[in-house]
Structure formats: structure tokens, C-alpha cells
Amino acid sequence: MLDLQMFRDNIGTDPDTEAMLLRLYIESSDEMMMAIAAQLKSNDVTAKEWDEQLHFLKGAALNIGAMPFVRLLTKGQLIAEQSSQEKNEFFAELSQEYNQLRIHISSFIAM
């Protein structure tokens, strides 16, 4: 789920820095996932907002080497103009993958 070599090539091998950045990733991604969920629930997400939110998540995932999640987010950006139903279906898949990634990351750090 994580390309740790890529992550460590970017940040170095200091375990404290690694843990701090992974915690920051989880915190910021949790917030964004909750914001997307709220917008979908209220049926209040524009194509632009959808694309920007997924782009944010994709950039953060790329920084930590979560390449499978990056690929899924890229796929999600392609449905920005689609219906709310399609976005909700995609978000269900995205949430499931994010939860797995979150568990995987948590195995590297003490939350």
C-alpha cells in the first residue's frame, strides 16, 4: 500500500519525521474525507470542488508513496461531471480503500 522507499527517498530516514508526516497525512486526509462525505450527503458538491478535493488527497497520497490510492483518486477525478449517484458509489469505494490505507499507516506509527 505504501512505497516506503519512495517516501523515505523524499523525506530521509528519520523515524520521528516519518511518524510526524504520516500522522499529518492521516489528520488532513480524515478532514478532507469527512468534508467530501458531508457534501455528498447534502448533495452539495460541484464538479470543481470534487476535482479539487480529490486532487488534494491525491497529492498527499503521492507524497507518502500510496500509489494504489493515487491511482484510485485519479480515476475519481474523471467522474467530476458525473451524477451524485456515481460520486456516492465511487466515494464508498474510496472510503473503503482509505480505511485500509489508514490501518496500514497506523501499523508504522503509534497514533
Side-chain angles (χ1 to χ4, degrees):
M1 295 200 114
L2 288 181
D3 182 343
L4 287 176
Q5 187 59 51
M6 183 176 121
F7 179 53
R8 289 174 178 147
D9 285 348
N10 288 332
I11 65 146
T13 58
D14 177 53
D16 291 334
T17 300
E18 183 177 296
M20 179 198 62
L21 290 173
L22 290 172
R23 280 189 201 95
L24 181 61
Y25 170 80
I26 288 174
E27 290 171 16
S28 63
S29 296
D30 281 355
E31 288 176 16
M32 185 60 71
M33 292 291 287
M34 287 188 286
I36 295 169
Q39 286 180 319
L40 287 171
K41 186 176 182 179
S42 67
N43 208 13
D44 185 32
V45 61
T46 66
K48 183 177 187 240
E49 288 170 326
W50 176 264
D51 184 64
E52 288 173 352
Q53 290 165 331
L54 294 189
H55 182 78
F56 171 86
L57 288 170
K58 185 171 74 172
L62 187 59
N63 286 337
I64 65 163
M67 300 314 293
F69 198 58
V70 168
R71 287 188 288 278
L72 182 60
L73 289 160
T74 299
K75 176 182 159 188
Q77 285 182 286
L78 298 175
I79 67 163
E81 299 289 339
Q82 301 301 317
S83 71
S84 293
Q85 179 180 342
E86 288 175 279
K87 288 177 183 157
N88 276 298
E89 289 170 4
F90 175 79
F91 189 71
E93 179 184 359
L94 184 69
S95 295
Q96 186 174 48
E97 290 298 316
Y98 176 68
N99 288 333
Q100 290 177 5
L101 176 59
R102 197 177 190 290
I103 290 166
H104 184 72
I105 290 169
S106 294
S107 71
F108 292 100
I109 58 174
M111 292 298 293

